[in-house]
Amino acid sequence: MILSAHQPAYLPWLGYFAKMSLTDTFVVHDLSPIGRRNMLNRNRIRSADGDLVLTVPLDHRDLRAELPLNRIRLVDDGWQRRHWKAIQLAYRRAPFFAEHADFLEGYYRGRYPTLDRLCRPFIEYCIDALKLDCAVAWMSELDIEDFDRQSIIPLLSERYGADMFIVGPHAAGYLDAALVERVGVRLRVFDYDHPSYPQSRPGFVSHLSVLDLLVNCGPAGVDVVREGLGWAPSSL
């Protein structure tokens, strides 16, 4: 049984869902602190003027308090209107934009008190659109207490009966692999080879939000995501 986990992210990139596609169960770690220098509240789309970063403003008091993601509040400064307008301008002529427009319009009309609540409907929509066959759980709903970076993988693996856990490429910097493997869980490193795909603007730009893939490739997007998985995960 293969397990993995990642924090919730706003408009995630392709690799987020590629990692998910390798697992039997994927845990969205909404109890994680947001940390620094990450992309959890922002991602890039491709506009007529080049890459455009869409950033969701967060309450700085919650950030300073280092609250978990499910308690970090959003700042309502009109960002939803701006983001939806930017997406329309960037992709309204993309071949499959119309197929996703109704969802996106409703998504940007929603009310989201915290970052995890914002991320959830988009992630769930993409799971369905990309036809991913894995179970998804949210850490805040699992009633697992007293965990840290070292204990969370053994605890989750025990919960789901997993014998393999896929970790990110930076895990070697903080994770005690020997400790995890002593409880019978093999660690494998996820390292995604980003594929190229047709985009409605000349040239190809990688590492954009998965939204770019959905509106440009439609149902073929699932094959593109998996195309980057032509490798064997390596040990930590």
Side-chain angles (χ1 to χ4, degrees):
M1 195 276 192
I2 302 175
L3 187 66
S4 190
H6 201 285
Q7 298 130 312
Y10 176 60
L11 306 182
W13 72 302
L14 275 63
Y16 192 96
F17 299 98
K19 183 180 180 183
M20 192 179 290
S21 74
L22 292 171
T23 67
D24 297 300
T25 298
F26 185 89
V27 178
V28 184
H29 191 359
D30 56 340
L31 296 182
S32 168
I34 191 169
R36 299 180 180 180
R37 300 175 186 173
N38 60 62
M39 295 285 288
L40 298 183
N41 66 319
R42 63 176 63 87
N43 216 323
R44 300 184 302 146
I45 64 172
R46 192 173 182 192
S47 72
D49 298 321
D51 293 1
L52 176 64
V53 178
L54 301 181
T55 300
V56 177
L58 304 177
D59 191 305
H60 288 284
R61 293 167 297 180
D62 297 345
L63 296 176
R64 286 194 297 269
E66 299 182 350
L67 296 181
L69 291 165
N70 68 336
R71 294 176 58 195
I72 294 180
R73 292 167 294 177
L74 311 185
V75 175
D76 185 6
D77 67 348
W79 66 268
Q80 288 172 266
R81 175 185 53 79
R82 294 195 303 273
H83 287 200
W84 175 224
K85 182 178 179 180
I87 288 170
Q88 289 176 289
L89 291 173
Y91 293 125
R92 60 188 174 186
R93 293 188 176 85
F96 295 97
F97 176 76
E99 294 187 10
H100 303 286
D102 286 347
F103 165 77
L104 290 168
E105 183 175 14
Y107 178 61
Y108 283 104
R109 286 180 175 175
R111 290 292 175 262
Y112 310 104
T114 54
L115 183 58
D116 66 313
R117 295 283 294 275
L118 167 69
C119 298
R120 186 165 186 161
F122 186 83
I123 290 172
E124 292 176 343
Y125 180 81
C126 290
I127 290 170
D128 183 63
L130 295 170
K131 301 179 176 61
L132 299 182
D133 185 20
C134 72
V136 177
W138 289 73
M139 190 72 183
S140 59
E141 299 172 358
L142 297 181
D143 296 324
I144 296 177
E145 300 179 355
D146 299 325
F147 60 84
D148 56 24
R149 277 184 163 188
Q150 301 301 330
S151 63
I152 187 171
I153 290 179
L155 287 170
L156 287 174
S157 298
E158 180 181 10
R159 173 71 174 260
Y160 288 100
D163 55 8
M164 179 183 289
F165 201 103
I166 299 177
V167 297
H170 302 299
Y174 64 85
L175 193 61
D176 185 343
L179 176 64
V180 175
E181 292 179 352
R182 277 201 296 272
V183 300
V185 179
R186 291 174 295 155
L187 295 175
R188 292 295 181 267
V189 178
F190 176 75
D191 186 14
Y192 193 54
D193 184 12
H194 198 294
S196 60
Y197 56 87
Q199 292 176 332
S200 54
R201 302 184 189 281
F204 177 72
V205 178
S206 70
H207 292 77
L208 301 175
S209 166
V210 71
L211 177 60
D212 186 85
L213 174 72
L214 293 178
V215 299
N216 280 303
C217 295
V222 60
D223 297 322
V224 175
V225 168
R226 290 170 178 161
E227 183 182 335
L229 295 173
W231 51 274
S234 58
S235 299
L236 188 66

